[in-house]
DNA sequence: GCCAACGTTGGC
DNA sequence: GCCAACGTTGGC
């Protein structure tokens, strides 16, 4: 039996890379992660076949906009070796790369953005990291039940009081 | 643009 | 190893 999937939330600023960009590209390297906790999660816990919510930060509104799947893990992030890149890390080497990335593939774009404010209103999402104040981790683990709830929420009309 | 929250750096 | 200073994130 295959192992159970893990679920994630990946943050991106849509002005640099959006769900529309991912839909157009189909697949992309999730480069530029420069936080040790996020890196360790990708390195230790992320597996091919996992699913991830795509989250637009610094957007109006900020929120979850779609789903991607993890295709390949533990790829040395090429931007760390590129002096022209804003993600260049002079302390990293090709022999011992400090930063890794994963490649992800487009799964779906939600019909609507599920705003952060809406996530915070849902009692079912209590404890979901992204709803916590000051939580800036760009790669977050997500409980399966939270992942599925957000996906369901995206299919509902926002202000339909009767569906609660 | 503000600023709270948080991660990283570096002096000691 | 502590912790102040600094830089960044990201909602608002």
């Amino acid at each position: 039996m295959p192992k159970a999937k893990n679920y994630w939330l990946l943050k991106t600023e849509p002005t640099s890379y959006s769900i529309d960009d991912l839909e157009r590209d189909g697949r992309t390297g999730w480069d530029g992660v420069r936080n040790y906790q996020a890196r360790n999660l990708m390195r230790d816990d992320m597996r091919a076949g996992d699913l991830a919510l795509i989250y637009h930060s610094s957007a109006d509104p900020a929120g979850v906009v779609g789903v991607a799947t993890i295709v390949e893990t533990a790829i040395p992030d090429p931007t760390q070796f590129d002096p022209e890149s804003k993600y260049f890390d002079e302390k990293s080497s090709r022999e011992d790369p400090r930063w890794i990335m994963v490649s992800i593939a487009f799964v779906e774009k939600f019909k609507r953005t599920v705003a952060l404010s809406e996530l915070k209103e849902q009692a079912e999402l209590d404890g979901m990291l992204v709803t916590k104040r000051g939580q800036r981790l760009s790669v977050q683990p997500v409980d399966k039940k939270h992942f599925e709830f957000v996906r369901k929420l995206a299919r509902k009309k926002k202000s339909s009081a009767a569906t609660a």
Side-chain angles (χ1 to χ4, degrees):
Chain A
M1 266 229 308
K3 287 184 183 173
K5 281 183 180 24
N6 286 324
Y7 296 86
W8 306 94
L9 179 144
L10 298 175
K11 287 188 193 172
T12 180
E13 295 195 13
T15 53
S16 69
Y17 197 85
S18 71
I19 188 73
D20 293 319
D21 294 326
L22 181 59
E23 181 167 25
R24 177 199 64 214
D25 295 344
R27 183 173 163 173
T28 195
W30 203 252
D31 61 18
V33 176
R34 293 293 180 274
N35 169 282
Y36 288 102
Q37 197 180 346
R39 180 202 67 182
N40 294 349
L41 285 166
M42 291 197 295
R43 184 188 62 196
D44 301 336
D45 298 323
M46 210 178 257
R47 292 193 301 262
D50 287 355
L51 291 172
L53 300 170
I54 300 299
Y55 180 90
H56 281 176
S57 61
S58 299
D60 189 20
V64 179
V65 293
V67 175
T69 187
I70 310 305
V71 176
E72 190 183 350
T73 61
I75 307 162
D77 181 342
T79 62
Q80 71 195 304
F81 308 124
D82 176 6
E84 302 298 310
S85 170
K86 65 185 278 202
Y87 300 117
F88 177 63
D89 183 348
E90 61 177 6
K91 293 177 184 164
S92 188
S93 68
R94 291 182 185 277
E95 298 72 36
D96 186 20
R98 176 177 295 189
W99 304 108
I100 58 160
M101 66 177 193
V102 297
S103 67
I104 69 171
F106 177 82
V107 173
E108 69 170 311
K109 179 185 175 181
F110 291 159
K111 296 271 188 275
R112 65 187 189 87
T113 297
V114 183
L116 177 60
S117 58
E118 190 180 352
L119 297 176
K120 289 179 174 175
E121 288 169 2
Q122 306 297 322
E124 290 87 344
L125 299 178
D126 276 0
M128 189 177 182
L129 286 179
V130 76
T131 66
K132 291 188 178 170
R133 174 186 175 81
Q135 177 55 68
R136 11 186 271 198
L137 196 58
S138 63
V139 175
Q140 301 180 359
V142 173
D143 289 350
K144 181 178 185 180
K145 62 177 190 293
H146 290 161
F147 180 93
E148 289 171 350
F149 188 83
V150 171
R151 219 174 182 181
K152 265 186 259 175
L153 208 54
R155 296 189 183 112
K156 288 182 186 173
K157 294 265 201 230
K158 185 182 177 184
S159 56
S160 175
T163 58

